[in-house]
């Protein structure tokens, strides 16, 4: 409880100081410091606070101000939409093609089991554009438009969600791109650019951390046929095989929302985030004991592997009969 309240206090102090410095941005050092402080505040709010509060990691405190049912984060996507597509769909059907819509966010081909289409030739460009506008991509992703095409979702549901997104996005746009710049008076433009830079920095960082946790080459994907009759033990195994970690120290843990421990997060999604570093050595020891992979690496290494996968699967590839890393009898026995 002390930990999360301290992080929230630091985040709010950084936001206030960042916005204050931007009001003095006639001086270039003040603009740089203010933008950096605001970007850091937005990263903390998105990654270590918002993501984890909305997972219910702090619901046990029974604090109505820090609770998954009341928290609304500093993003254009409504928390309610994200909790369904992320907490339920993604964490239940992790890396299952046709079930987990987070595989490529329906925009990219990140599994060779996905049928190739000439559209995917441009996916390195799509991914580069997605990164700075990631929060907008997530908001549109939550609409689940492919379900409308399949007849599983009505247009009325889409329009209801779209109105909620527009209301939330409208508040965010007014706050960062109208209200605060207007309060700066003659410094309208520097404050506007500072807010835009902070938001895009947060988006690129979130995109990088999330993609490194799910899409390096070692992260396995699965078909619906492979998980038929899946036991609880095999579900845990799938979380392990479909996730990758990032190596780093305590500050890196906080700035990634502790999602550099993506393996531990997928095994225990509602465990308070500051406990993942304590759990990780025990998880790794179990993997070594049973001969299971524990995929981890530096941020640079994992980012390179993600982009390698994006480029490789932009090209037509045959659908494999067997995916390395998917459950086999030996791994199932270990589970």
């Amino acid at each position: 409880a002390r930990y999360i309240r301290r992080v929230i206090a630091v985040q709010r102090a950084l936001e206030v100081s960042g916005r204050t410095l931007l009001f003095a941005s006639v001086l270039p050092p003040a603009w740089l410091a203010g933008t950096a402080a605001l970007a850091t505040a937005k990263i903390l709010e998105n990654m270590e606070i918002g993501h984890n509060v909305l997972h219910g990691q702090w619901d046990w405190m029974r604090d109505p101000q820090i609770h998954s049912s009341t928290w609304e984060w500093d993003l254009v996507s409504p928390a309610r939409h994200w909790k369904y597509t992320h907490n339920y769909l993604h964490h239940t059907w992790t890396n299952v093609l046709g079930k987990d819509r987070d595989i490529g966010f329906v925009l990219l081909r990140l599994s060779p089991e996905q049928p190739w289409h000439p559209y995917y030739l441009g996916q390195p460009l799509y991914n580069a554009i997605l990164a700075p506008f990631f929060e907008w991509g997530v908001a549109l992703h939550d609409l689940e438009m492919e379900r409308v095409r399949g007849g599983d979702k009505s247009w009325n549901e889409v329009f209801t969600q779209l109105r909620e997104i527009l209301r939330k996005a409208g508040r965010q746009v007014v706050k960062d791109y109208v209200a605060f710049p207007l309060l700066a008076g003659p410094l309208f433009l520097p404050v506007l650019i500072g807010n835009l830079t902070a938001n895009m920095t947060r988006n690129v960082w979130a995109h990088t951390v999330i993609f490194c946790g799910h899409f390096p080459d070692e992260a396995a994907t699965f078909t619906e046929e492979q998980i038929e009759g899946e036991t609880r033990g095999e579900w845990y195994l799938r979380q392990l095989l479909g996730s990758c970690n990032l190596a780093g120290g305590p500050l890196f843990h906080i700035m990634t929302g502790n999602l550099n421990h993506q393996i531990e997060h997928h095994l225990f999604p509602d465990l308070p985030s500051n406990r993942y570093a304590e759990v990780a050595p025990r998880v790794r020891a179990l993997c070594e004991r049973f001969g299971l992979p524990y995929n981890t690496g530096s941020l640079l290494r994992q980012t390179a592997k993600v982009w390698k996968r994006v480029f490789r699967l932009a090209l037509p590839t045959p659908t494999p009969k067997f995916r390395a890393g998917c459950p086999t009898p030996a791994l199932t026995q270990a589970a």
Side-chain angles (χ1 to χ4, degrees), residues 19 42 74 171-181 195:
R19 293 194 184 280
K42 285 179 173 287
D74 183 38
R171 290 195 297 270
Q172 294 296 111
V173 168
V174 168
K175 179 190 71 174
D176 279 339
Y177 307 132
V178 180
F180 279 107
N195 287 354

Side-chain angles (χ1 to χ4, degrees), residues 106-127:
V106 193
L107 179 70
L108 309 172
R109 180 176 183 251
L110 291 175
S111 169
E113 284 84 4
Q114 289 176 257
W116 184 83
H117 187 275
Y119 159 84
Y120 290 119
L121 288 170
Q123 75 176 20
L125 176 62
Y126 312 151
N127 195 38

Side-chain angles (χ1 to χ4, degrees), residues 210-280:
I210 290 166
F211 271 59
C212 284
H214 294 93
F215 305 126
D217 274 343
E218 292 89 346
T221 55
F222 311 89
T223 63
E224 293 185 55
E225 291 74 23
Q226 286 175 300
I227 66 164
E228 283 185 19
E230 182 180 65
T231 66
R232 188 61 175 170
E234 289 165 345
W235 181 89
Y236 279 107
L237 179 62
R238 176 161 54 84
Q239 305 306 313
L240 171 68
L241 297 177
S243 306
C244 296
N245 280 8
L246 292 166
L251 181 59
F252 188 66
H253 299 341
I254 295 171
M255 293 303 293
T256 62
N258 277 279
L259 293 179
N260 62 317
H261 297 107
Q262 192 67 237
I263 293 170
E264 289 72 24
H265 174 59
H266 268 272
L267 293 173
F268 313 110
D270 59 357
L271 183 72
S273 58
N274 62 324
R275 299 301 184 187
Y276 288 142
E278 297 177 38
V279 171

Side-chain angles (χ1 to χ4, degrees), residues 155-174:
W155 279 105
N156 282 338
E157 292 177 275
V158 172
F159 289 139
T160 298
Q161 279 187 275
L162 190 56
R163 282 194 295 270
E164 293 173 354
I165 291 171
L166 289 174
R167 278 198 298 269
K168 177 69 187 301
R171 290 195 297 270
Q172 294 296 111
V173 168
V174 168

